[in-house]
Amino acid sequence: MRVFERRESEVRSYSRTWPVVFSRAEGSRLYGVDGVPYLDFFAGAGSLNYGHNNPVLKRALIGYLERDGVTHALDMWTAAREDLLETLEEKILTPRGLDYKVVFPGPAGSNAVEAALKLARKVTGRQGLAYFGNAFHGMTLGALSVNGNQATRSSAGISLPHTTELPYDDGLGDVADLEELLGACPGGLAGTAAVIVETVQGEGGINLARHRWLRELAAVCQRHGVLLIVDDVQMGCGRVGPFFSFEDAGVEPDIVLLSKSISGYGLPMALMLIRPELDVWKPAEHNGTFRGFNLAFVTGAEAMRAYWSDDELEKSTRAKGERVAGGLCQIALSHPGAGLAARGRGLAQALRTAGGEVASRISAEAFERGLLVETCGPQSEVVKLLPPLSVTTGEVDEALEILGASVTSALARFA
């Protein structure tokens, strides 16, 4: 590992948590160069919903490469791009009664966030943006301006004006105060271009917004001409059950942001879905060299065909999510007084602990036992589980057993 320490920047993070050189991956497992397997309940931070080297997607990708399919074409029309758009329309949008135009903003979720903020201001002529406490939307400058973590925001190195933080749904308060809160933003509702929200805050600690809170937020935005942007980068593509995380709430955002698992194979791609009347861009007004990565189009289209032609994956994800949630609740009940609590939706599940040191110790103990789980939350006090949606029930039970032993061992250190 000396070359990593000698040549790679100190900005690296995950490799510090899991100091292994990985060489192979299949399904829900990663393998070190020494052959040691690790059960992966991190899944590329939600980029591998269909597992590592999914055989269905791999065959489609290899076949495309062997046919000398176009790899790079910026925003030129290609057969792979056509297939992606037609499949998105047929398998995702039309069955849900959704009518969105598609913007290819660049390869990462933060590209989609930047494009959304720019478009919202262009469409409305307003400058203000509202976001929520503990939100995470990316690390580029515009995305940082709507992040709800002060330490993350401060990495910008400059002030981030024209944005206002609002309190995220606490599951208890009255949803009717959203209009008052938005009205208190600088410039008021008339000066606010958009509200950006995650229906489940991933990096923020697996915080869940109530469906009625989301419906009221959408209603307030609609009444006042404020655009509603749902950041579905981590929680979309089936992570919480349905393809879009907002479906159960019955809302229809003005703008939807997708990345991570939209390519299906871990290849870089992001999409911004916008209501047709918002498509006021001039040619090349938002662009980027890698907004046409055709290999990601191939696997993304194949993933939609393979897994979203029916509701089997959605049902499976909900059932496995309940299994994980039940296991986490049992772990919490086994340690009364330790400050543990389970939370989550679908296969975005978490165990809240008494603090960051405890959560980090649990993650470390799990790693020593062959399980990868990361931490999240404002003080990294939450242990987060994001397994591939293709995880088996046997692997779920294996992970819960490892996690239970890891919690017991970690808590013993703080006794």
Side-chain angles (χ1 to χ4, degrees):
M1 300 183 193
R2 290 179 181 175
V3 67
F4 300 116
E5 296 174 352
R6 186 170 68 247
R7 289 299 176 190
E8 195 172 352
S9 167
E10 294 300 314
V11 77
R12 65 188 186 278
S13 60
Y14 291 117
S15 58
R16 298 179 189 276
T17 304
W18 304 313
V20 170
V21 179
F22 296 103
S23 62
R24 188 170 68 85
E26 182 180 3
S28 301
R29 297 187 191 272
L30 281 162
Y31 297 84
V33 291
D34 55 3
V36 173
Y38 294 85
L39 189 54
D40 185 6
F41 271 47
F42 172 64
S47 297
L48 295 162
N49 282 5
Y50 310 104
H52 292 276
N53 287 305
N54 180 289
V56 174
L57 309 186
K58 181 163 62 175
R59 282 195 300 270
L61 179 59
I62 291 172
Y64 184 79
L65 290 168
E66 288 180 337
R67 295 191 301 274
D68 291 329
V70 176
T71 297
H72 183 276
L74 291 108
D75 68 356
M76 293 183 287
W77 291 342
T78 64
R81 193 186 199 93
E82 179 183 34
D83 184 39
L84 177 76
L85 289 171
E86 288 184 340
T87 307
L88 177 69
E89 181 178 66
E90 177 187 349
K91 301 298 184 183
I92 307 300
L93 299 181
T94 299
R96 291 161 178 78
L98 298 173
D99 183 17
Y100 288 122
K101 297 286 286 292
V102 181
V103 179
F104 295 85
S110 57
N111 296 112
V113 172
E114 296 286 345
L117 303 184
K118 182 194 293 186
L119 182 63
R121 285 169 166 152
K122 178 178 176 65
V123 167
T124 64
R126 306 170 179 177
Q127 289 188 330
L129 299 166
Y131 64 94
F132 293 93
N134 290 324
F136 181 83
H137 298 291
M139 296 295 283
T140 51
L141 203 58
L144 282 173
S145 75
V146 289
N147 273 1
N149 180 288
Q150 190 54 48
T152 303
R153 291 175 64 86
S154 66
S155 68
I158 60 172
S159 62
L160 300 169
H162 308 301
T163 59
T164 302
E165 180 176 310
L166 303 176
Y168 193 71
D169 184 26
D170 61 4
L172 302 170
D174 184 1
V175 299
D177 60 1
L178 281 167
E179 194 154 20
E180 181 180 343
L181 289 168
L182 278 167
C185 294
L189 283 158
T192 301
V195 176
I196 185 168
V197 66
E198 302 156 277
T199 65
V200 177
Q201 292 185 327
E203 299 305 311
I206 308 296
N207 305 314
L208 313 177
R210 290 170 292 175
H211 294 154
R212 66 189 186 100
W213 183 87
L214 289 167
R215 287 193 292 270
E216 179 60 21
L217 176 62
V220 170
C221 289
Q222 187 173 35
R223 283 197 296 271
H224 297 279
V226 177
L227 300 185
L228 177 62
I229 304 169
V230 169
D231 182 340
D232 239 1
V233 168
Q234 188 167 93
M235 295 302 159
C237 302
R239 173 54 55 184
V240 299
F243 187 86
F244 296 111
S245 72
F246 53 81
E247 290 182 49
D248 287 341
V251 301
E252 191 170 320
D254 299 294
I255 299 175
V256 182
L257 310 180
L258 297 169
S259 186
K260 291 189 182 288
S261 278
I262 190 60
S263 80
Y265 204 73
L267 300 174
M269 180 169 75
L271 301 179
M272 180 170 74
L273 310 182
I274 61 176
R275 286 193 291 108
E277 59 268 33
L278 302 181
D279 191 19
V280 298
W281 296 113
K282 296 176 183 176
E285 193 169 7
H286 188 84
N287 58 32
T289 302
F290 292 99
R291 65 191 187 278
F293 188 42
N294 285 249
L295 304 188
F297 298 167
V298 169
T299 54
E302 190 66 20
M304 286 183 269
R305 277 190 293 269
Y307 298 103
W308 296 99
S309 293
D310 55 35
D311 62 357
E312 288 305 306
L313 181 64
E314 178 179 343
K315 289 178 179 177
S316 171
T317 298
R318 291 185 192 274
K320 292 171 189 173
E322 290 176 3
R323 194 180 189 98
V324 176
L328 293 178
C329 285
Q330 188 57 50
I331 290 172
L333 289 172
S334 299
H335 300 280
L340 303 179
R343 59 170 68 155
R345 186 173 291 159
L347 280 173
Q349 296 289 333
L351 187 68
R352 191 197 68 207
T353 73
E357 289 187 14
V358 175
S360 294
R361 189 64 243 168
I362 292 172
S363 175
E365 294 278 352
F367 170 67
E368 291 176 9
R369 292 169 170 81
L371 173 67
L372 304 184
V373 287
E374 69 165 331
T375 61
C376 62
Q379 280 81 48
S380 298
E381 75 281 11
V382 177
V383 179
K384 180 166 68 172
L385 284 71
L386 292 179
L389 308 186
S390 56
V391 68
T392 67
T393 55
E395 289 168 338
V396 166
D397 293 342
E398 180 185 351
L400 288 171
E401 183 177 349
I402 292 173
L403 190 63
S406 301
V407 169
T408 299
S409 180
L411 292 178
R413 290 173 174 262
F414 294 95

